[in-house]
Amino acid sequence: MAWVLLIAAGLLEIVGVIGIKRVSEQNNWTNNLILIGGFIASFSLLVRAIESVPLATAYAVWTGIGSVGAAVVGMMFFKESKTPVRLFCIMGVIGCVIGLRLVE
């Protein structure tokens, strides 16, 4: 169950990052709610997950999901670069997160 919470926390971190981008484009209550709500929910689930998952692993997985998710959202919705080197680096982050899960 802790891993489900950790993955959900990572996905909610992506919501928070989307909120940051939206607030940077238009600062209103809706965008601030997305930003604050996403991060509060994400941190809350991360705290619960760390009760069972080792701290370093949990933090690396959480930030990995958030980093990869933010990069993918940026490429899909905000016209950010999709160069092969960038995609390779994203795959490297995913590989490292999977590696941490396997060695736990």
Side-chain angles (χ1 to χ4, degrees):
M1 184 63 172
W3 280 95
V4 172
L5 294 175
L6 183 56
I7 291 168
L11 295 173
L12 286 165
E13 182 186 10
I14 298 167
V15 172
V17 171
I18 291 169
I20 291 172
K21 178 66 174 172
R22 290 177 57 123
V23 166
S24 75
E25 293 173 347
Q26 182 179 14
N27 191 352
N28 60 36
W29 282 102
T30 304
N31 293 338
N32 279 286
L33 186 61
I34 292 169
L35 184 155
I36 295 167
F39 282 125
I40 287 174
S42 177
F43 285 130
S44 298
L45 293 178
L46 177 63
V47 167
R48 298 270 323 273
I50 287 177
E51 293 171 0
S52 301
V53 178
L55 171 66
T57 301
Y59 185 72
V61 169
W62 179 70
T63 58
I65 293 170
S67 298
V68 168
V72 170
V73 166
M75 289 185 290
M76 290 177 63
F77 300 107
F78 300 110
K79 298 179 181 164
E80 294 181 4
S81 164
K82 299 175 187 161
T83 65
V85 172
R86 186 170 189 192
L87 296 173
F88 177 77
C89 291
I90 290 169
M91 294 306 296
V93 172
I94 293 169
C96 290
V97 168
I98 291 170
L100 282 171
R101 172 64 175 115
L102 294 175
V103 298
E104 181 184 283

